[in-house]
Amino acid sequence: MKTARNTTAKTAVLEIFGKSKIALSHTEIYKQIEDVCDRVTVYRILDRLVNDDIVHKIVDLDGTVKYAKCHHHAQRVHIHNHAHFSCEKCLEITCLENVKPSYIMPHNYKVNNINFTLSGLCPNCLNSNI
Amino acid sequence: MKTARNTTAKTAVLEIFGKSKIALSHTEIYKQIEDVCDRVTVYRILDRLVNDDIVHKIVDLDGTVKYAKCHHHAQRVHIHNHAHFSCEKCLEITCLENVKPSYIMPHNYKVNNINFTLSGLCPNCLNSNI
DNA sequence: AACTAATTGCAACATTGTTGCGATATTATT
DNA sequence: AATAATATCGCAACAATGTTGCAATTAGTT
């Protein structure tokens, strides 16, 4: 089995996630640590973090890919089926950990995963719009 | 105002959509008509079709962008807030026109649009899996 | 300190999408 | 049917994002 290592680059990425309340793109992360490591390294670190369930990957309505830290509740198995909100104005993506959609599927489909993304105006931009 | 024209390329693209029950990517469409027109032309036609509400754009869980013909019900204004199903095996995306999620949002968010994509096994692949 | 394997940097490549501009083709007009 | 106006196209060039191979480096272990 593989034993993950704590490298400078990985620590730097995790620190960024720790500080951010919103989801970040590869580019946004890389910009903050371009003197620490290579562009490719950031891609690889993100891949590993997603694989290790430390970070989850979110695809925006536009197709923009972002990443956010997972919030593990207790020791339970972590499921990513919560909703995400994508603000049309500031372009920030926020996890709505408590919003879970209910829906009725046709027969004969086996649902393994869901992606529920809402877009519009976040509380911040809604206020500044008045 | 602009008056849309019926060009050979546009007709070819529309014909492909007519025949397909699933959502198609730019690449999939272009492969079928690469002797008819340029790659860029396909991009532009898709853009226009989306703008004219003839086709809608779907972003997969992976970030794959696909397009599918809109089904207009009566003369009503067309809304794209239906669900999409993305099969993990055959990678096909199907519109679930009748699946609409219900959910409760926190206050202070203004929701303009939603994207609800489910992934798993489609009826076809579910059967062939037994 | 030496060893092993995870991780990195670099260079090169692939895919997807965009833009500018002169040429072409469609539609409406005469 | 010929003409005019302009929507659309082809091409070339570029940009952004992501991937891969491989040799060099480095973290964690013995």
Side-chain angles (χ1 to χ4, degrees):
Chain A
M1 72 229 114
K2 284 208 165 197
T3 357
R5 292 181 182 178
N6 286 320
T7 64
T8 324
K10 187 182 171 187
T11 310
V13 171
L14 283 176
E15 202 165 314
I16 291 174
F17 276 122
K19 277 189 276 186
S20 176
K21 293 206 72 160
I22 59 168
L24 302 166
S25 68
H26 165 269
T27 313
E28 287 163 341
I29 294 166
Y30 177 57
K31 269 189 200 150
Q32 293 188 49
I33 51 168
E34 46 187 348
D35 43 326
V36 175
C37 69
D38 194 70
R39 204 172 62 89
V40 179
T41 302
V42 175
Y43 276 115
R44 297 202 256 231
I45 289 174
L46 289 173
D47 279 354
R48 269 178 272 141
L49 291 178
V50 168
N51 251 299
D52 297 349
D53 235 25
I54 294 167
V55 149
H56 64 284
K57 187 177 172 179
I58 307 155
V59 176
D60 202 353
L61 296 190
D62 323 322
T64 319
V65 175
K66 301 211 174 179
Y67 301 86
K69 214 195 210 165
C70 298
H71 296 276
H72 290 264
H73 306 294
Q75 288 85 351
R76 300 265 217 72
V77 176
H78 183 209
I79 311 265
H80 298 297
N81 290 351
H82 58 263
H84 294 109
F85 190 86
S86 163
C87 180
E88 288 163 359
K89 202 176 167 200
C90 65
L91 301 180
E92 287 187 355
I93 295 187
T94 335
C95 295
L96 302 171
E97 305 267 351
N98 298 317
V99 178
K100 294 192 178 72
S102 60
Y103 54 94
I104 299 164
M105 280 294 291
H107 292 302
N108 297 322
Y109 282 89
K110 182 168 184 293
V111 176
N112 291 335
N113 217 323
I114 72 168
N115 175 300
F116 188 44
T117 309
L118 304 107
S119 69
L121 292 173
C122 73
N124 263 348
C125 293
L126 193 58
N127 277 330
S128 62
N129 240 8
I130 301 174
Chain B
M1 72 228 115
K2 285 208 165 198
T3 358
R5 293 181 182 178
N6 286 320
T7 64
T8 324
K10 188 181 170 187
T11 311
V13 171
L14 283 175
E15 203 166 313
I16 291 174
F17 277 123
K19 278 189 276 184
S20 176
K21 293 207 69 159
I22 60 168
L24 302 166
S25 67
H26 165 268
T27 313
E28 287 164 341
I29 294 166
Y30 177 57
K31 269 188 201 152
Q32 293 188 49
I33 51 168
E34 46 187 350
D35 43 325
V36 175
C37 69
D38 194 68
R39 202 171 64 89
V40 179
T41 302
V42 175
Y43 276 115
R44 297 201 257 229
I45 289 175
L46 289 172
D47 279 354
R48 269 179 273 140
L49 291 178
V50 168
N51 252 298
D52 296 348
D53 235 25
I54 294 167
V55 149
H56 63 284
K57 187 177 172 180
I58 308 154
V59 177
D60 200 355
L61 296 190
D62 323 321
T64 319
V65 174
K66 301 211 172 179
Y67 301 86
K69 214 194 208 167
C70 299
H71 297 274
H72 291 264
H73 306 292
Q75 288 86 350
R76 300 264 218 72
V77 177
H78 184 208
I79 310 265
H80 298 296
N81 290 350
H82 57 263
H84 294 109
F85 189 85
S86 164
C87 180
E88 288 164 358
K89 202 176 167 201
C90 65
L91 301 180
E92 287 186 355
I93 295 186
T94 334
C95 294
L96 302 171
E97 306 266 351
N98 298 317
V99 177
K100 295 194 177 71
S102 60
Y103 54 94
I104 299 164
M105 281 293 292
H107 293 302
N108 297 322
Y109 282 90
K110 182 167 184 296
V111 176
N112 290 335
N113 218 324
I114 72 167
N115 175 301
F116 188 45
T117 309
L118 304 107
S119 69
L121 292 174
C122 72
N124 263 348
C125 294
L126 193 57
N127 278 330
S128 63
N129 239 8
I130 300 173

mmCIF file of all heavy atoms in Angstrom, chain A residues 1-39:
data_model
loop_
_atom_site.group_PDB
_atom_site.id
_atom_site.type_symbol
_atom_site.label_atom_id
_atom_site.label_comp_id
_atom_site.label_asym_id
_atom_site.label_seq_id
_atom_site.Cartn_x
_atom_site.Cartn_y
_atom_site.Cartn_z
ATOM 1 N N MET A 1 0.841 -1.212 0.000
ATOM 2 C CA MET A 1 0.000 0.000 0.000
ATOM 3 C C MET A 1 0.869 1.253 0.000
ATOM 4 O O MET A 1 2.001 1.245 0.478
ATOM 5 C CB MET A 1 -0.904 0.009 1.219
ATOM 6 C CG MET A 1 -0.121 0.279 2.501
ATOM 7 S SD MET A 1 -0.434 -0.836 3.838
ATOM 8 C CE MET A 1 1.135 -1.679 4.012
ATOM 9 N N LYS A 2 0.271 2.325 -0.440
ATOM 10 C CA LYS A 2 0.976 3.602 -0.499
ATOM 11 C C LYS A 2 0.910 4.316 0.853
ATOM 12 O O LYS A 2 -0.114 4.310 1.515
ATOM 13 C CB LYS A 2 0.308 4.499 -1.544
ATOM 14 C CG LYS A 2 0.629 4.116 -2.979
ATOM 15 C CD LYS A 2 0.532 5.369 -3.833
ATOM 16 C CE LYS A 2 1.177 5.155 -5.194
ATOM 17 N NZ LYS A 2 1.432 6.456 -5.842
ATOM 18 N N THR A 3 1.999 4.929 1.217
ATOM 19 C CA THR A 3 1.971 5.743 2.432
ATOM 20 C C THR A 3 2.160 7.201 2.036
ATOM 21 O O THR A 3 3.218 7.585 1.547
ATOM 22 C CB THR A 3 3.105 5.345 3.399
ATOM 23 O OG1 THR A 3 3.809 4.238 2.858
ATOM 24 C CG2 THR A 3 2.556 5.022 4.765
ATOM 25 N N ALA A 4 1.126 7.967 2.269
ATOM 26 C CA ALA A 4 1.152 9.374 1.881
ATOM 27 C C ALA A 4 2.225 10.120 2.666
ATOM 28 O O ALA A 4 2.498 9.828 3.823
ATOM 29 C CB ALA A 4 -0.210 10.005 2.118
ATOM 30 N N ARG A 5 2.840 11.098 2.009
ATOM 31 C CA ARG A 5 3.893 11.884 2.650
ATOM 32 C C ARG A 5 3.466 13.331 2.833
ATOM 33 O O ARG A 5 2.719 13.874 2.032
ATOM 34 C CB ARG A 5 5.159 11.851 1.798
ATOM 35 C CG ARG A 5 5.770 10.489 1.765
ATOM 36 C CD ARG A 5 7.017 10.499 0.949
ATOM 37 N NE ARG A 5 7.567 9.162 0.880
ATOM 38 C CZ ARG A 5 8.650 8.847 0.201
ATOM 39 N NH1 ARG A 5 9.298 9.767 -0.479
ATOM 40 N NH2 ARG A 5 9.094 7.617 0.180
ATOM 41 N N ASN A 6 3.998 13.936 3.865
ATOM 42 C CA ASN A 6 3.696 15.355 4.069
ATOM 43 C C ASN A 6 4.796 16.213 3.466
ATOM 44 O O ASN A 6 5.825 16.436 4.070
ATOM 45 C CB ASN A 6 3.564 15.655 5.555
ATOM 46 C CG ASN A 6 2.267 15.115 6.105
ATOM 47 O OD1 ASN A 6 1.237 15.198 5.441
ATOM 48 N ND2 ASN A 6 2.309 14.531 7.289
ATOM 49 N N THR A 7 4.529 16.664 2.288
ATOM 50 C CA THR A 7 5.530 17.486 1.616
ATOM 51 C C THR A 7 5.195 18.963 1.790
ATOM 52 O O THR A 7 4.077 19.318 2.179
ATOM 53 C CB THR A 7 5.565 17.154 0.117
ATOM 54 O OG1 THR A 7 4.307 17.497 -0.454
ATOM 55 C CG2 THR A 7 5.820 15.683 -0.098
ATOM 56 N N THR A 8 6.172 19.789 1.472
ATOM 57 C CA THR A 8 5.983 21.236 1.587
ATOM 58 C C THR A 8 4.787 21.691 0.755
ATOM 59 O O THR A 8 3.948 22.467 1.219
ATOM 60 C CB THR A 8 7.231 21.977 1.073
ATOM 61 O OG1 THR A 8 8.389 21.225 1.431
ATOM 62 C CG2 THR A 8 7.326 23.358 1.662
ATOM 63 N N ALA A 9 4.733 21.185 -0.473
ATOM 64 C CA ALA A 9 3.674 21.609 -1.385
ATOM 65 C C ALA A 9 2.305 21.190 -0.868
ATOM 66 O O ALA A 9 1.357 21.990 -0.854
ATOM 67 C CB ALA A 9 3.926 21.018 -2.759
ATOM 68 N N LYS A 10 2.205 19.944 -0.422
ATOM 69 C CA LYS A 10 0.917 19.449 0.068
ATOM 70 C C LYS A 10 0.461 20.267 1.277
ATOM 71 O O LYS A 10 -0.702 20.658 1.377
ATOM 72 C CB LYS A 10 1.042 17.979 0.447
ATOM 73 C CG LYS A 10 -0.270 17.313 0.802
ATOM 74 C CD LYS A 10 -0.026 15.868 1.204
ATOM 75 C CE LYS A 10 -1.280 15.230 1.779
ATOM 76 N NZ LYS A 10 -0.996 13.885 2.323
ATOM 77 N N THR A 11 1.393 20.548 2.170
ATOM 78 C CA THR A 11 1.069 21.351 3.350
ATOM 79 C C THR A 11 0.570 22.731 2.943
ATOM 80 O O THR A 11 -0.418 23.233 3.481
ATOM 81 C CB THR A 11 2.322 21.509 4.231
ATOM 82 O OG1 THR A 11 2.893 20.215 4.443
ATOM 83 C CG2 THR A 11 1.963 22.112 5.575
ATOM 84 N N ALA A 12 1.236 23.308 1.954
ATOM 85 C CA ALA A 12 0.840 24.634 1.482
ATOM 86 C C ALA A 12 -0.585 24.611 0.928
ATOM 87 O O ALA A 12 -1.391 25.507 1.211
ATOM 88 C CB ALA A 12 1.819 25.115 0.415
ATOM 89 N N VAL A 13 -0.890 23.578 0.161
ATOM 90 C CA VAL A 13 -2.232 23.475 -0.415
ATOM 91 C C VAL A 13 -3.277 23.313 0.690
ATOM 92 O O VAL A 13 -4.315 23.990 0.683
ATOM 93 C CB VAL A 13 -2.315 22.286 -1.404
ATOM 94 C CG1 VAL A 13 -3.749 22.036 -1.826
ATOM 95 C CG2 VAL A 13 -1.449 22.549 -2.629
ATOM 96 N N LEU A 14 -2.977 22.460 1.637
ATOM 97 C CA LEU A 14 -3.927 22.237 2.730
ATOM 98 C C LEU A 14 -4.150 23.498 3.543
ATOM 99 O O LEU A 14 -5.261 23.770 3.996
ATOM 100 C CB LEU A 14 -3.439 21.099 3.634
ATOM 101 C CG LEU A 14 -3.639 19.694 3.067
ATOM 102 C CD1 LEU A 14 -3.042 18.652 3.980
ATOM 103 C CD2 LEU A 14 -5.129 19.423 2.844
ATOM 104 N N GLU A 15 -3.091 24.270 3.699
ATOM 105 C CA GLU A 15 -3.206 25.517 4.445
ATOM 106 C C GLU A 15 -4.165 26.482 3.734
ATOM 107 O O GLU A 15 -4.972 27.150 4.370
ATOM 108 C CB GLU A 15 -1.823 26.153 4.577
ATOM 109 C CG GLU A 15 -1.697 27.127 5.740
ATOM 110 C CD GLU A 15 -0.234 27.427 6.025
ATOM 111 O OE1 GLU A 15 0.570 26.461 6.064
ATOM 112 O OE2 GLU A 15 0.108 28.605 6.154
ATOM 113 N N ILE A 16 -4.056 26.522 2.406
ATOM 114 C CA ILE A 16 -4.946 27.376 1.626
ATOM 115 C C ILE A 16 -6.394 26.949 1.802
ATOM 116 O O ILE A 16 -7.282 27.769 2.028
ATOM 117 C CB ILE A 16 -4.543 27.334 0.135
ATOM 118 C CG1 ILE A 16 -3.195 28.022 -0.048
ATOM 119 C CG2 ILE A 16 -5.606 27.995 -0.724
ATOM 120 C CD1 ILE A 16 -2.631 27.907 -1.436
ATOM 121 N N PHE A 17 -6.624 25.646 1.739
ATOM 122 C CA PHE A 17 -7.985 25.143 1.924
ATOM 123 C C PHE A 17 -8.494 25.479 3.327
ATOM 124 O O PHE A 17 -9.655 25.807 3.515
ATOM 125 C CB PHE A 17 -8.040 23.624 1.715
ATOM 126 C CG PHE A 17 -8.159 23.236 0.274
ATOM 127 C CD1 PHE A 17 -7.215 22.411 -0.318
ATOM 128 C CD2 PHE A 17 -9.220 23.694 -0.498
ATOM 129 C CE1 PHE A 17 -7.328 22.045 -1.655
ATOM 130 C CE2 PHE A 17 -9.340 23.328 -1.834
ATOM 131 C CZ PHE A 17 -8.387 22.511 -2.408
ATOM 132 N N GLY A 18 -7.601 25.407 4.293
ATOM 133 C CA GLY A 18 -7.990 25.704 5.667
ATOM 134 C C GLY A 18 -8.470 27.133 5.820
ATOM 135 O O GLY A 18 -9.429 27.409 6.535
ATOM 136 N N LYS A 19 -7.814 28.031 5.098
ATOM 137 C CA LYS A 19 -8.155 29.446 5.219
ATOM 138 C C LYS A 19 -9.387 29.852 4.408
ATOM 139 O O LYS A 19 -10.004 30.864 4.690
ATOM 140 C CB LYS A 19 -6.956 30.305 4.774
ATOM 141 C CG LYS A 19 -5.914 30.506 5.861
ATOM 142 C CD LYS A 19 -4.877 31.524 5.430
ATOM 143 C CE LYS A 19 -3.789 30.871 4.586
ATOM 144 N NZ LYS A 19 -2.674 31.764 4.241
ATOM 145 N N SER A 20 -9.709 29.069 3.359
ATOM 146 C CA SER A 20 -10.769 29.486 2.455
ATOM 147 C C SER A 20 -12.138 28.903 2.808
ATOM 148 O O SER A 20 -12.271 27.718 3.059
ATOM 149 C CB SER A 20 -10.403 29.090 1.030
ATOM 150 O OG SER A 20 -11.463 29.405 0.164
ATOM 151 N N LYS A 21 -13.124 29.752 2.771
ATOM 152 C CA LYS A 21 -14.486 29.298 3.041
ATOM 153 C C LYS A 21 -15.184 28.862 1.760
ATOM 154 O O LYS A 21 -16.265 28.316 1.778
ATOM 155 C CB LYS A 21 -15.301 30.415 3.709
ATOM 156 C CG LYS A 21 -14.835 30.771 5.108
ATOM 157 C CD LYS A 21 -15.967 31.343 5.927
ATOM 158 C CE LYS A 21 -16.979 30.254 6.306
ATOM 159 N NZ LYS A 21 -17.837 30.556 7.436
ATOM 160 N N ILE A 22 -14.571 29.175 0.633
ATOM 161 C CA ILE A 22 -15.199 28.857 -0.646
ATOM 162 C C ILE A 22 -14.354 27.844 -1.423
ATOM 163 O O ILE A 22 -13.212 27.588 -1.073
ATOM 164 C CB ILE A 22 -15.378 30.118 -1.504
ATOM 165 C CG1 ILE A 22 -14.001 30.757 -1.748
ATOM 166 C CG2 ILE A 22 -16.295 31.111 -0.822
ATOM 167 C CD1 ILE A 22 -14.000 31.826 -2.796
ATOM 168 N N ALA A 23 -14.939 27.302 -2.463
ATOM 169 C CA ALA A 23 -14.235 26.342 -3.301
ATOM 170 C C ALA A 23 -13.246 27.054 -4.212
ATOM 171 O O ALA A 23 -13.502 28.165 -4.662
ATOM 172 C CB ALA A 23 -15.233 25.547 -4.135
ATOM 173 N N LEU A 24 -12.109 26.426 -4.475
ATOM 174 C CA LEU A 24 -11.052 27.053 -5.250
ATOM 175 C C LEU A 24 -10.692 26.243 -6.486
ATOM 176 O O LEU A 24 -10.710 25.018 -6.463
ATOM 177 C CB LEU A 24 -9.804 27.205 -4.376
ATOM 178 C CG LEU A 24 -9.968 28.009 -3.088
ATOM 179 C CD1 LEU A 24 -8.768 27.786 -2.176
ATOM 180 C CD2 LEU A 24 -10.130 29.480 -3.400
ATOM 181 N N SER A 25 -10.327 26.949 -7.539
ATOM 182 C CA SER A 25 -9.884 26.276 -8.756
ATOM 183 C C SER A 25 -8.394 25.971 -8.667
ATOM 184 O O SER A 25 -7.680 26.537 -7.837
ATOM 185 C CB SER A 25 -10.141 27.162 -9.969
ATOM 186 O OG SER A 25 -9.300 28.287 -9.915
ATOM 187 N N HIS A 26 -7.942 25.098 -9.545
ATOM 188 C CA HIS A 26 -6.506 24.796 -9.608
ATOM 189 C C HIS A 26 -5.695 26.067 -9.773
ATOM 190 O O HIS A 26 -4.697 26.283 -9.093
ATOM 191 C CB HIS A 26 -6.220 23.847 -10.769
ATOM 192 C CG HIS A 26 -4.764 23.770 -11.118
ATOM 193 N ND1 HIS A 26 -4.191 24.604 -12.074
ATOM 194 C CD2 HIS A 26 -3.760 23.021 -10.626
ATOM 195 C CE1 HIS A 26 -2.900 24.333 -12.149
ATOM 196 N NE2 HIS A 26 -2.607 23.375 -11.292
ATOM 197 N N THR A 27 -6.136 26.924 -10.681
ATOM 198 C CA THR A 27 -5.419 28.167 -10.959
ATOM 199 C C THR A 27 -5.336 29.062 -9.735
ATOM 200 O O THR A 27 -4.276 29.620 -9.440
ATOM 201 C CB THR A 27 -6.119 28.930 -12.104
ATOM 202 O OG1 THR A 27 -6.382 27.999 -13.159
ATOM 203 C CG2 THR A 27 -5.259 30.049 -12.629
ATOM 204 N N GLU A 28 -6.460 29.199 -9.036
ATOM 205 C CA GLU A 28 -6.486 30.050 -7.847
ATOM 206 C C GLU A 28 -5.505 29.537 -6.794
ATOM 207 O O GLU A 28 -4.827 30.319 -6.119
ATOM 208 C CB GLU A 28 -7.902 30.107 -7.258
ATOM 209 C CG GLU A 28 -8.863 30.939 -8.092
ATOM 210 C CD GLU A 28 -10.327 30.659 -7.740
ATOM 211 O OE1 GLU A 28 -10.615 29.605 -7.133
ATOM 212 O OE2 GLU A 28 -11.165 31.482 -8.084
ATOM 213 N N ILE A 29 -5.435 28.229 -6.662
ATOM 214 C CA ILE A 29 -4.519 27.639 -5.686
ATOM 215 C C ILE A 29 -3.074 27.844 -6.122
ATOM 216 O O ILE A 29 -2.225 28.284 -5.355
ATOM 217 C CB ILE A 29 -4.820 26.137 -5.504
ATOM 218 C CG1 ILE A 29 -6.194 25.953 -4.872
ATOM 219 C CG2 ILE A 29 -3.753 25.458 -4.663
ATOM 220 C CD1 ILE A 29 -6.730 24.558 -4.961
ATOM 221 N N TYR A 30 -2.828 27.550 -7.388
ATOM 222 C CA TYR A 30 -1.469 27.641 -7.904
ATOM 223 C C TYR A 30 -0.901 29.056 -7.778
ATOM 224 O O TYR A 30 0.274 29.238 -7.435
ATOM 225 C CB TYR A 30 -1.416 27.170 -9.356
ATOM 226 C CG TYR A 30 -0.046 27.306 -9.966
ATOM 227 C CD1 TYR A 30 1.061 26.687 -9.384
ATOM 228 C CD2 TYR A 30 0.142 28.070 -11.108
ATOM 229 C CE1 TYR A 30 2.326 26.820 -9.928
ATOM 230 C CE2 TYR A 30 1.407 28.210 -11.661
ATOM 231 C CZ TYR A 30 2.493 27.594 -11.069
ATOM 232 O OH TYR A 30 3.736 27.722 -11.610
ATOM 233 N N LYS A 31 -1.742 30.052 -8.045
ATOM 234 C CA LYS A 31 -1.296 31.441 -7.963
ATOM 235 C C LYS A 31 -0.731 31.776 -6.585
ATOM 236 O O LYS A 31 0.186 32.579 -6.448
ATOM 237 C CB LYS A 31 -2.457 32.388 -8.276
ATOM 238 C CG LYS A 31 -2.546 32.751 -9.747
ATOM 239 C CD LYS A 31 -3.580 33.858 -9.956
ATOM 240 C CE LYS A 31 -4.050 33.899 -11.412
ATOM 241 N NZ LYS A 31 -5.438 34.370 -11.512
ATOM 242 N N GLN A 32 -1.303 31.140 -5.569
ATOM 243 C CA GLN A 32 -0.880 31.442 -4.202
ATOM 244 C C GLN A 32 0.421 30.752 -3.816
ATOM 245 O O GLN A 32 1.034 31.096 -2.806
ATOM 246 C CB GLN A 32 -1.982 31.046 -3.207
ATOM 247 C CG GLN A 32 -3.223 31.904 -3.342
ATOM 248 C CD GLN A 32 -4.213 31.624 -2.229
ATOM 249 O OE1 GLN A 32 -3.863 31.607 -1.059
ATOM 250 N NE2 GLN A 32 -5.459 31.377 -2.611
ATOM 251 N N ILE A 33 0.816 29.726 -4.596
ATOM 252 C CA ILE A 33 2.025 28.993 -4.208
ATOM 253 C C ILE A 33 2.938 28.710 -5.377
ATOM 254 O O ILE A 33 3.657 27.711 -5.403
ATOM 255 C CB ILE A 33 1.671 27.647 -3.527
ATOM 256 C CG1 ILE A 33 0.687 26.849 -4.391
ATOM 257 C CG2 ILE A 33 1.114 27.869 -2.146
ATOM 258 C CD1 ILE A 33 0.523 25.411 -3.920
ATOM 259 N N GLU A 34 2.953 29.594 -6.359
ATOM 260 C CA GLU A 34 3.754 29.301 -7.546
ATOM 261 C C GLU A 34 5.255 29.310 -7.277
ATOM 262 O O GLU A 34 6.022 28.761 -8.056
ATOM 263 C CB GLU A 34 3.404 30.211 -8.732
ATOM 264 C CG GLU A 34 3.284 31.668 -8.428
ATOM 265 C CD GLU A 34 2.766 32.441 -9.660
ATOM 266 O OE1 GLU A 34 2.719 31.887 -10.751
ATOM 267 O OE2 GLU A 34 2.419 33.630 -9.493
ATOM 268 N N ASP A 35 5.649 29.912 -6.174
ATOM 269 C CA ASP A 35 7.066 29.867 -5.834
ATOM 270 C C ASP A 35 7.404 28.615 -5.028
ATOM 271 O O ASP A 35 8.569 28.284 -4.840
ATOM 272 C CB ASP A 35 7.474 31.132 -5.074
ATOM 273 C CG ASP A 35 6.454 31.527 -4.039
ATOM 274 O OD1 ASP A 35 5.246 31.311 -4.292
ATOM 275 O OD2 ASP A 35 6.835 32.039 -2.971
ATOM 276 N N VAL A 36 6.395 27.931 -4.564
ATOM 277 C CA VAL A 36 6.612 26.716 -3.773
ATOM 278 C C VAL A 36 6.790 25.486 -4.662
ATOM 279 O O VAL A 36 7.661 24.654 -4.424
ATOM 280 C CB VAL A 36 5.445 26.476 -2.783
ATOM 281 C CG1 VAL A 36 5.615 25.159 -2.049
ATOM 282 C CG2 VAL A 36 5.327 27.626 -1.808
ATOM 283 N N CYS A 37 5.967 25.375 -5.675
ATOM 284 C CA CYS A 37 6.048 24.184 -6.529
ATOM 285 C C CYS A 37 5.499 24.419 -7.923
ATOM 286 O O CYS A 37 4.979 25.487 -8.237
ATOM 287 C CB CYS A 37 5.313 23.019 -5.883
ATOM 288 S SG CYS A 37 3.540 23.233 -5.846
ATOM 289 N N ASP A 38 5.613 23.401 -8.727
ATOM 290 C CA ASP A 38 5.206 23.438 -10.127
ATOM 291 C C ASP A 38 3.686 23.327 -10.274
ATOM 292 O O ASP A 38 2.997 22.837 -9.390
ATOM 293 C CB ASP A 38 5.884 22.277 -10.850
ATOM 294 C CG ASP A 38 5.808 22.415 -12.343
ATOM 295 O OD1 ASP A 38 6.476 23.305 -12.874
ATOM 296 O OD2 ASP A 38 5.059 21.634 -12.967
ATOM 297 N N ARG A 39 3.222 23.787 -11.430
ATOM 298 C CA ARG A 39 1.810 23.698 -11.801
ATOM 299 C C ARG A 39 1.319 22.247 -11.771
ATOM 300 O O ARG A 39 0.236 21.939 -11.242
ATOM 301 C CB ARG A 39 1.687 24.242 -13.229
ATOM 302 C CG ARG A 39 0.381 24.765 -13.678
ATOM 303 C CD ARG A 39 0.569 25.436 -15.051
ATOM 304 N NE ARG A 39 1.025 24.483 -16.056
ATOM 305 C CZ ARG A 39 0.189 23.750 -16.815
ATOM 306 N NH1 ARG A 39 -1.114 23.887 -16.690
ATOM 307 N NH2 ARG A 39 0.653 22.903 -17.689
#
